[in-house]
Amino acid sequence: QVQLVESGGGLVQPGGSLRLSCATSGFTLEDYAIGWFRQAPGKAREGLACISSSAGSTYYPESAEGRFFISRDNIKKMVYLQVDSLKPEDTAVYFCARGDPIRPCLVVPDWYDYWGRGTQVTVSS
């Protein structure tokens, strides 16, 4: 069955960096775009990045571009999110999700059909 499992979260000081991982199984990763999202308590789900299935093009909303970097390794069936210059307001659960094979690589939550359970990122001094 389709599975996505995030890891790499934890406690980090402001200004620090994390590399989050998304291990995928149950589908051919190279056929799908993958997105990263986050959600803090009491806040809406927020898209951070998407990487396309074949061309490897990426999309970042303005709020994430420059601090977040998405990459993929189709052989290892892994997707990564590098997060730099972390701020306390980055504290959230971070999710990876499988995109639609036809729709463009944008962070529209309704366009993603399978989600991991998330990994907690806490930014605090």
Side-chain angles (χ1 to χ4, degrees):
Q1 62 183 35
V2 173
Q3 287 190 305
L4 301 96
V5 181
E6 303 91 340
S7 63
L11 177 64
V12 62
Q13 293 186 339
S17 298
L18 286 173
R19 191 192 191 204
L20 307 181
S21 297
C22 176
T24 71
S25 61
F27 66 99
T28 303
L29 179 60
E30 58 262 38
D31 290 342
Y32 292 85
I34 299 293
W36 280 95
F37 301 79
R38 69 184 180 189
Q39 189 164 26
K43 296 185 178 180
R45 185 168 42 187
E46 178 185 14
L48 303 174
C50 181
I51 186 164
S52 67
S53 60
S54 57
S57 60
T58 58
Y59 166 80
Y60 305 94
E62 184 175 294
S63 61
E65 189 171 5
R67 295 201 301 126
F68 297 171
F69 302 91
I70 191 169
S71 61
R72 67 192 296 159
D73 184 332
N74 291 330
I75 301 301
K76 295 182 178 180
K77 304 196 72 174
M78 298 288 291
V79 184
Y80 306 98
L81 183 71
Q82 176 74 29
V83 189
D84 296 328
S85 302
L86 282 159
K87 306 172 183 178
E89 52 264 42
D90 292 324
T91 296
V93 177
Y94 285 68
F95 302 89
C96 60
R98 191 182 78 171
D100 190 283
I102 303 300
R103 290 168 171 164
C105 188
L106 298 173
V107 287
V108 180
D110 286 349
W111 292 2
Y112 294 78
D113 60 355
Y114 287 93
W115 296 73
R117 292 185 176 183
T119 184
Q120 177 71 47
V121 173
T122 302
V123 184
S124 176
S125 59

